[in-house]
Amino acid sequence: MTSVQKGISQKILSNIVASVKSLQDSGDIPEETLQLKFKNSRNDGNCHVLDARKSLDDSHLPTSSYRTRWTKVIPLKINIFIWRLIMDRLPSRINFALKGFDINTNICLICSVGGDLRDHTFIFCRVANTIWRRIRIWTAIPWPDSFIITEDAFDWMDSSNDPLSKKTHIYSIVAATLWWLLRFRNDMLHENGTIKERDLFVNIRLSSFAWLQARSKFAPTWTTWLCNPL
Ligand SMILES: [Zn+2]
């Protein structure tokens, strides 16, 4: 760690300690609730910002017991996204609220009906629902009628006895679908909707095809991909 980074980290840690002490001194909150126990990942006897942040995340954010999955078929950043998705650590409005941020609303940006949380954005929201339906028709395989939670998509893939080539194609499609649903949601938040809903399905087919072309020995031709991807 550079001296600059170390200085910034120490300043953040000092601010956290000062905030906790201020709360403790106010007497408004029982002392036992302020006894934050940070696991020391380096076993060096010091308190690190990374450990403090992880302890706060672990105590405030939902967690998943799902195993970490890592596949060479999809790009690194998509693997990281999938990992964060399964852990439910994406920055949704509800996760921000759980972390203690004061936010104006926790309503879904896309439909303004459901909550801005993982399983709504990626499964139940109107746009997600429409996209999954189109994926089912395109792939022409018996997908479950609906996934209850996002992990269900991965459970379903893991439980199949399909050959590796077919599993690879399905994984690429599922990953691309989830990725473009995230991009669509984030684009509405940050870019005011430059990604159009009508383009999502095409983008999913393009991304999943490009990933297979670049990384899989089971890469299909574009014509095959459009007509009979599995
Ligand atoms: Zn929605």
Side-chain angles (χ1 to χ4, degrees):
M1 183 182 286
T2 66
S3 59
V4 173
Q5 289 173 317
K6 192 174 179 182
I8 293 171
S9 295
Q10 285 174 338
K11 188 175 179 185
I12 294 171
L13 185 58
S14 297
N15 288 341
I16 292 173
V17 171
S19 298
V20 171
K21 190 163 189 322
S22 168
L23 282 168
Q24 195 171 15
D25 291 345
S26 72
D28 292 336
I29 302 176
E31 186 174 343
E32 58 270 21
T33 66
L34 297 171
Q35 291 177 352
L36 303 175
K37 294 176 180 174
F38 304 150
K39 184 180 178 186
N40 188 323
S41 58
R42 299 177 198 175
N43 289 321
D44 59 4
N46 296 320
C47 187
H48 300 281
V49 169
L50 183 66
D51 297 329
R53 184 191 300 162
K54 185 172 186 315
S55 295
L56 288 168
D57 280 353
D58 288 345
S59 62
H60 286 78
L61 290 177
T63 58
S64 169
S65 58
Y66 220 80
R67 69 181 173 83
T68 302
R69 53 181 65 240
W70 212 256
T71 170
K72 288 188 281 188
V73 174
I74 59 177
L76 177 63
K77 69 175 180 180
I78 310 298
N79 269 307
I80 294 170
F81 154 65
I82 297 289
W83 174 71
R84 294 184 71 198
L85 176 76
I86 290 173
M87 295 291 289
D88 200 0
R89 296 295 175 90
L90 293 171
S92 66
R93 284 172 165 172
I94 287 183
N95 276 352
F96 271 126
L98 286 170
K99 282 189 103 170
F101 286 93
D102 188 14
I103 57 172
N104 293 329
T105 176
N106 56 16
I107 296 297
C108 172
L109 295 120
I110 299 169
C111 68
S112 301
V113 175
D116 185 46
L117 75 170
R118 182 192 66 170
D119 294 332
H120 175 82
T121 302
F122 294 97
I123 304 289
F124 298 113
C125 188
R126 177 187 59 76
V127 172
N129 204 283
T130 302
I131 283 296
W132 285 116
R133 194 163 60 239
R134 294 194 69 177
I135 297 291
R136 288 186 188 96
I137 294 169
W138 169 44
T139 53
I141 58 171
W143 293 66
D145 287 340
S146 177
F147 301 122
I148 305 302
I149 55 174
T150 307
E151 284 101 319
D152 288 351
F154 298 97
D155 281 338
W156 171 68
M157 286 188 287
D158 290 343
S159 65
S160 84
N161 294 317
D162 291 326
L164 183 58
S165 58
K166 187 172 178 179
K167 276 189 163 185
T168 302
H169 287 195
I170 293 174
Y171 191 84
S172 180
I173 292 168
V174 169
T177 303
L178 295 168
W179 172 244
W180 275 101
L181 287 171
L182 174 79
R183 289 194 60 181
F184 183 70
R185 180 258 181 208
N186 288 350
D187 181 77
M188 290 195 81
L189 179 64
H190 301 298
E191 305 292 338
N192 217 14
T194 58
I195 297 176
K196 303 302 176 193
E197 183 180 345
R198 64 175 178 270
D199 296 330
L200 282 179
F201 184 56
V202 172
N203 291 337
I204 290 165
R205 296 211 286 189
L206 282 168
S207 290
S208 50
F209 176 77
W211 296 343
L212 290 168
Q213 283 292 319
R215 295 175 177 79
S216 172
K217 59 184 177 183
F218 306 116
T221 66
W222 178 240
T223 304
T224 304
W225 193 241
L226 291 179
C227 303
N228 186 22
L230 303 180

